[in-house]
Amino acid sequence: MITNVSLVTLWVTDQDDAKKFYIDTLGFAPGTDVTMGDGFRWVTILHPDHPELEVTLMRPGPPLDADMAEAVRRSLASGTMGGFGLTTTDCHGTYKDLVAKGVEFTQPPAERPYGVEAVMRDNSGNWLVLVEKREYTGEDFAH
């Protein structure tokens, strides 16, 4: 029986820079950092309150074929690669804190039917959604 999601992959341009960004800027904790055969490096981070879910900071390369790795690199460079969503209890306050730390936002906090949402980029070009959730129903999306 599957009990939970335990690992997700985030493509990054530089594992050291990404690890520093997620730990020092966003408050994640270090997970695993090992170098395996052929110079392959396995780097993970996790949120201190949710250690059951690790995020692998993976450079585009094997096991991707060369064409796919290049496509991922192009997507990161253009800022069109999706990352994941982060929950906050105060979107406006977190936004201000992160802007002060130099984080680039493509969308400041905005009201949505499901809460307050802001969109930022990490230092590899992935977009991350920051959401202060609130209760909603499908009717909240009706025009």
Side-chain angles (χ1 to χ4, degrees):
M1 172 177 13
I2 296 172
T3 59
N4 64 288
V5 175
S6 62
L7 182 70
V8 296
T9 298
L10 185 69
W11 298 105
V12 299
T13 54
D14 182 291
Q15 289 171 306
D16 289 320
D17 288 346
K19 183 177 174 182
K20 182 174 175 44
F21 175 83
Y22 280 91
I23 292 171
D24 296 346
T25 305
L26 298 186
F28 282 71
T32 304
D33 191 340
V34 295
T35 301
M36 301 177 194
D38 296 328
F40 179 81
R41 186 171 169 208
W42 182 260
V43 179
T44 67
I45 54 162
L46 51 102
H47 190 279
D49 293 341
H50 296 281
E52 72 280 4
L53 175 60
E54 290 186 272
V55 178
T56 305
L57 303 175
M58 187 77 73
R59 290 186 64 227
L64 300 178
D65 66 29
D67 290 340
M68 187 61 184
E70 181 55 32
V72 170
R73 282 191 286 276
R74 282 193 316 271
S75 186
L76 286 169
S78 68
T80 58
M81 182 67 95
F84 46 76
L86 300 168
T87 301
T88 181
T89 57
D90 179 4
C91 192
H92 289 279
T94 303
Y95 169 81
K96 288 177 189 173
D97 291 344
L98 293 176
V99 166
K101 291 180 177 182
V103 176
E104 173 194 351
F105 277 80
T106 60
Q107 174 193 300
E111 292 290 327
R112 302 285 185 244
Y114 47 84
V116 181
E117 173 189 85
V119 180
M120 66 178 132
R121 294 215 190 282
D122 71 7
N123 59 350
S124 289
N126 294 297
W127 55 264
L128 307 173
V129 179
L130 182 65
V131 178
E132 177 184 341
K133 294 180 181 180
R134 75 166 144 252
E135 294 294 319
Y136 66 93
T137 67
E139 294 169 1
D140 295 322
F141 290 88
H143 296 294

